[in-house]
Amino acid sequence: EQMFYNCKSLTSINFGNNFNTNKVQEINNIFTNCNSLQSIDVPISVNYDVYFGHLKSFFENCYSLTSVNLQNFYTSNVEYFNNMFLNCYKLTSIDLSKFFFKDNAKIVNMVRGCYSLTSLDFPNLAPIMVNCKEIFYDCPNLKFVNFSIIRNSYSGNLLFNGNISENGTIIMKKSLYNSRNIDINHIPSNWNITLLD
């Protein structure tokens, strides 16, 4: 935890070939407040039999981060993704294709404050229930969200606030749309809502 926490002048990291995280249990806050970090290839993988529960605030306040390679992530046992990319102002894309989200995962504020993010496609896996409160807050350039992995959410969740693109598309499960656990009124009226069974 907090391995590079508050390394505000750090611009790059070369992990080499000997960075082994097979016994790691929690790595939340590992790059929190690395304000100058611009790009990173994160070679983090975990054995199937190791509980790997927290990615909270992993890149929080990495203001200068423009690209991140997450192709080696293994997240089958991760429960907390809260604030993972919070305030990554310059990050234009996030590839979640290697991610696995377990049932009852917490993704609160996961990409909040990603001002340059234009689209986000969650992996096409079995639908799950999550806590997704305020996940897309302050994402003014976000215009496409594939949220169809989520079948339901905990009560009282708002996906967006007023700081969002006027036009866009969100793909959702009908069960989530009709659950009343998501405040649909906070999706801008000009957005296209595509509902899947």
Side-chain angles (χ1 to χ4, degrees), residues 4 15 28 41 44 48 57 63 110 115 122 125 139 165 167 170-171 175 180 190 193-194 197:
F4 299 100
F15 287 99
N28 42 290
D41 185 344
I44 292 176
Y48 285 78
S57 301
Y63 305 139
M110 184 176 177
Y115 282 83
F122 283 79
L125 301 170
C139 294
S165 173
N167 299 285
I170 184 169
I171 302 173
S175 58
R180 298 184 180 180
N190 290 333
I193 303 176
T194 300
D197 292 326

Side-chain angles (χ1 to χ4, degrees), residues 72-125:
N72 291 319
F73 259 47
Y74 174 73
T75 65
S76 180
N77 288 320
V78 175
E79 183 176 0
Y80 293 94
F81 298 86
N82 298 349
N83 305 330
M84 185 172 182
F85 300 98
L86 180 66
N87 294 332
C88 289
Y89 298 145
K90 294 185 178 181
L91 201 58
T92 58
S93 64
I94 302 172
D95 186 353
L96 300 178
S97 60
K98 299 296 184 180
F99 276 45
F100 180 89
F101 294 92
K102 63 187 295 186
D103 217 12
N104 296 313
K106 283 76 175 175
I107 56 175
V108 175
N109 291 331
M110 184 176 177
V111 297
R112 182 173 184 166
C114 287
Y115 282 83
S116 301
L117 190 66
T118 58
S119 67
L120 193 62
D121 196 347
F122 283 79
N124 187 23
L125 301 170

Side-chain angles (χ1 to χ4, degrees), residues 2-161:
Q2 302 184 357
M3 186 173 180
F4 299 100
Y5 186 85
N6 272 341
C7 291
K8 295 184 177 182
S9 299
L10 185 67
T11 58
S12 63
I13 303 171
N14 183 357
F15 287 99
N17 297 319
N18 297 314
F19 189 70
N20 189 315
T21 60
N22 284 342
K23 300 295 183 181
V24 171
Q25 188 169 14
E26 296 183 8
I27 53 172
N28 42 290
N29 300 99
I30 190 171
F31 300 111
T32 300
N33 298 334
C34 290
N35 306 150
S36 302
L37 189 64
Q38 297 178 2
S39 65
I40 189 168
D41 185 344
V42 189
I44 292 176
S45 59
V46 180
N47 284 342
Y48 285 78
D49 60 344
V50 176
Y51 178 75
F52 185 52
H54 298 274
L55 288 172
K56 291 188 294 185
S57 301
F58 198 83
F59 296 107
E60 183 176 342
N61 295 335
C62 288
Y63 305 139
S64 302
L65 192 66
T66 58
S67 64
V68 57
N69 185 349
L70 301 171
Q71 292 303 296
N72 291 319
F73 259 47
Y74 174 73
T75 65
S76 180
N77 288 320
V78 175
E79 183 176 0
Y80 293 94
F81 298 86
N82 298 349
N83 305 330
M84 185 172 182
F85 300 98
L86 180 66
N87 294 332
C88 289
Y89 298 145
K90 294 185 178 181
L91 201 58
T92 58
S93 64
I94 302 172
D95 186 353
L96 300 178
S97 60
K98 299 296 184 180
F99 276 45
F100 180 89
F101 294 92
K102 63 187 295 186
D103 217 12
N104 296 313
K106 283 76 175 175
I107 56 175
V108 175
N109 291 331
M110 184 176 177
V111 297
R112 182 173 184 166
C114 287
Y115 282 83
S116 301
L117 190 66
T118 58
S119 67
L120 193 62
D121 196 347
F122 283 79
N124 187 23
L125 301 170
I128 59 174
M129 179 173 178
V130 300
N131 185 345
C132 54
K133 183 179 180 181
E134 301 176 5
I135 182 173
F136 305 119
Y137 269 40
D138 298 324
C139 294
N141 290 297
L142 189 63
K143 295 183 177 180
F144 175 82
V145 177
N146 183 353
F147 216 42
S148 58
I149 186 179
I150 313 301
R151 72 165 186 272
N152 211 331
S153 177
Y154 298 99
S155 61
N157 284 322
L158 305 179
L159 296 180
F160 302 98
N161 61 355

